[in-house]
Amino acid sequence: MDTTIGNQQVKITWQWLAGFYDGEGCLMLSKSTSKGYIRYSPQIDLVNTNHVVMQAIVDFLASHDISVYVNYSKQH
């Protein structure tokens, strides 16, 4: 999947995404309890202010049937 970021044409691949994650990502393990049961949920976060990059990643993951949750923050 090709996308233009700034003045560069970038091909989003698993390798590219791994490098992006290495610089911009975070892996968390959330713990929640309900009715006496403990549940752990893995969560992978990517944070970046470039909407084009983030949309390209969302599209790439969707093309591989991986669902994502996107949280948009207001700019200051």
Side-chain angles (χ1 to χ4, degrees), residues 61-62 64-69:
L61 294 173
H64 290 86
D65 295 323
I66 298 173
S67 61
V68 298
Y69 169 77

Side-chain angles (χ1 to χ4, degrees), residues 13-24:
T13 63
W14 289 113
Q15 293 83 2
W16 183 93
L17 188 56
F20 186 86
Y21 173 80
D22 189 38
E24 304 286 336

